[in-house]
Amino acid sequence: LPLKSHGYISYIPVRKATDDDMANSPELVMTGSSWDPYDDSLDPKSTQVNSSRGDRLPVIEPKILAKRLCISHEMAESTLQVTTQLASRVFNEPRYDRYGHRFRWLGRRRLATQFYTDTFFAIPSAPGNTCAQVFINRDRFCYVVAMVDRSKAHHALQEFLLHVGLPESLVHDNSAEQKSKAWKETLAEFGIRSRTTHPYSPWQNYAENGVKLIKFRSARFVEQKNIPLPLWDHVIEYVAGLNNKIVHKTPRLEGRTPHEKLLGITPDISPYLNFGLYDYVWYIVMPSELFPGSKRTIGRWLGPARQMTGDLIYKILTKSGSVLLTSAVSPVTQTDRDTKAVVDIDRKSTRLNS
């Protein structure tokens, strides 16, 4: 049989038999006439599964695990039933150099769900992004990565796996960037099953709904807040992050958020409470930059900094058009709106829109 492998997953490729196959192909009987599927010897609890490959060691026995971890035999059996042992090493002979990094999935969050992904395109943003990769599951947990061009899709995939986790499988279409060698190697490296949709069947990819969701909510923010179009990449990041932490009217979530449904943790929405997207804010700069002037200057709030580990760190659009990451942010009062600083940044926003 043509046994193949995908990462650590071994499989036999199969397809549905045609009428010609049924008429002309030889039949192969896989079991004897005396086979009884209800035989007690086939009880999973009494069946020893040998998962060894080549000279690899088999799955550890409960009594050995119990002795090694100083736990009872019953606890060891229960532990093996509810855990995985995806990485193993062979110690057949002494080794005098270090091991290579073969098990990249160890230490990463593994997600018991299937994700979908797709690419959508937009006008060039201020940093030069022209498209974005969307990752979403059926519970509407969404993650987006803006890209300079579609060839960077595998970098977006790596960022998703790093910051969200490793899904059981990933569904995508047959686009060139999602059939590239780098894309396939990344999925195989982390042991993620790759599934492709049927040609010309976009309804099979739930990420199409994710793209519509992100575009619709982003367009609403852009229109209501009068946000310059070249800032769309910051808007979609804000929308995706907020989407995961609000309640959706879908029975699947049972009144909970996508974040809690996926990760099992009640989300904290503190970063979204004090400011609205594209609101005026005051932020503090280093004294050396404006000495002897004021350390406080005006900017626009672009949302939480997604990749920062500090508390309440935000992205701020400065008067020069650059984006600054800082936690020293305070709201602008109604009286402040008539100041020269606010007028200057309004002119900058007008230039971005044009």
Side-chain angles (χ1 to χ4, degrees):
L1 295 177
L3 184 65
K4 296 186 177 181
S5 63
H6 180 80
Y8 62 86
I9 301 174
S10 299
Y11 68 97
I12 298 175
V14 297
R15 62 176 175 83
K16 184 178 180 180
T18 64
D19 293 339
D20 184 64
D21 291 333
M22 299 295 293
N24 302 318
S25 299
E27 295 184 2
L28 177 63
V29 179
M30 302 297 293
T31 59
S33 58
S34 61
W35 178 69
D36 181 8
Y38 300 101
D39 190 350
D40 293 338
S41 63
L42 297 178
D43 186 354
K45 295 183 179 179
S46 61
T47 304
Q48 178 65 34
V49 179
N50 185 3
S51 63
S52 61
R53 183 177 64 184
D55 57 353
R56 287 193 177 185
L57 297 176
V59 174
I60 189 171
E61 297 181 2
K63 63 179 181 180
I64 298 177
L65 183 65
K67 181 178 180 180
R68 189 162 294 167
L69 303 184
C70 297
I71 58 179
S72 67
H73 186 275
E74 180 182 0
M75 189 179 296
E77 284 186 329
S78 300
T79 300
L80 289 175
Q81 291 177 5
V82 298
T83 60
T84 59
Q85 304 87 41
L86 300 179
S88 62
R89 281 177 173 164
V90 180
F91 304 102
N92 289 340
E93 57 184 25
R95 192 178 183 95
Y96 301 98
D97 58 346
R98 67 186 186 91
Y99 289 92
H101 299 284
R102 296 177 52 216
F103 310 117
R104 295 288 303 277
W105 58 85
L106 291 181
R108 299 288 186 92
R109 181 193 293 124
R110 294 172 57 203
L111 309 173
T113 184
Q114 176 173 267
F115 265 82
Y116 302 77
T117 186
D118 198 13
T119 310
F120 74 86
F121 299 88
I123 65 171
S125 69
N129 295 313
T130 62
C131 55
Q133 194 73 25
V134 177
F135 301 88
I136 192 171
N137 68 354
R138 291 280 182 177
D139 295 321
R140 295 190 180 182
F141 185 96
C142 187
Y143 191 87
V144 296
V145 182
M147 303 179 294
V148 175
D149 59 69
R150 61 194 302 175
S151 65
K152 306 297 182 182
H154 65 284
H155 292 303
L157 173 61
Q158 292 169 353
E159 180 178 329
F160 165 73
L161 300 180
L162 175 64
H163 295 287
V164 179
L166 312 181
E168 292 180 345
S169 57
L170 185 64
V171 179
H172 52 85
D173 56 27
N174 290 283
S175 60
E177 62 271 16
Q178 292 162 16
K179 294 194 300 182
S180 66
K181 180 180 178 182
W183 180 278
K184 293 179 179 179
E185 287 179 347
T186 300
L187 292 179
E189 183 178 17
F190 291 100
I192 301 171
R193 186 184 302 112
S194 175
R195 303 182 62 186
T196 57
T197 59
H198 192 274
Y200 308 107
S201 305
W203 58 88
Q204 296 179 354
N205 190 351
Y206 188 74
E208 299 283 349
N209 295 344
V211 171
K212 294 178 181 178
L213 174 68
I214 294 297
K215 285 184 175 181
F216 173 77
R217 293 188 174 173
S218 298
R220 186 165 58 180
F221 273 104
V222 169
E223 181 179 358
Q224 293 182 356
K225 297 279 191 172
N226 195 27
I227 301 174
L229 298 182
L231 297 177
W232 65 262
D233 44 1
H234 297 286
V235 177
I236 65 170
E237 183 177 315
Y238 172 86
V239 167
L242 185 62
N243 168 83
N244 299 335
K245 298 184 178 183
I246 60 176
V247 174
H248 296 250
K249 294 181 179 179
T250 171
R252 290 179 61 94
L253 293 176
E254 301 176 339
R256 314 306 294 181
T257 64
H259 183 280
E260 182 175 352
K261 186 70 172 180
L262 177 68
L263 305 178
I265 304 172
T266 301
D268 188 277
I269 60 172
S270 299
Y272 298 91
L273 298 181
N274 295 324
F275 310 102
L277 185 61
Y278 206 59
D279 280 355
Y280 288 113
V281 291
W282 293 110
Y283 66 95
I284 307 299
V285 297
M286 295 298 293
S288 60
E289 295 184 21
L290 292 178
F291 183 83
S294 172
K295 294 187 297 182
R296 194 175 73 154
T297 186
I298 197 77
R300 291 278 198 170
W301 193 80
L302 295 181
R306 186 167 62 181
Q307 314 301 359
M308 300 299 290
T309 57
D311 297 331
L312 301 180
I313 299 180
Y314 304 117
K315 298 186 296 181
I316 306 299
L317 178 68
T318 67
K319 289 187 290 185
S320 64
S322 61
V323 176
L324 176 72
L325 304 182
T326 180
S327 61
V329 181
S330 59
V332 171
T333 64
Q334 188 63 37
T335 305
D336 295 330
R337 294 182 179 273
D338 296 329
T339 63
K340 183 177 183 300
V342 173
V343 173
D344 288 344
I345 199 168
D346 268 338
R347 291 174 179 171
K348 178 62 180 178
S349 299
T350 304
R351 290 197 297 269
L352 281 173
N353 265 322
S354 59

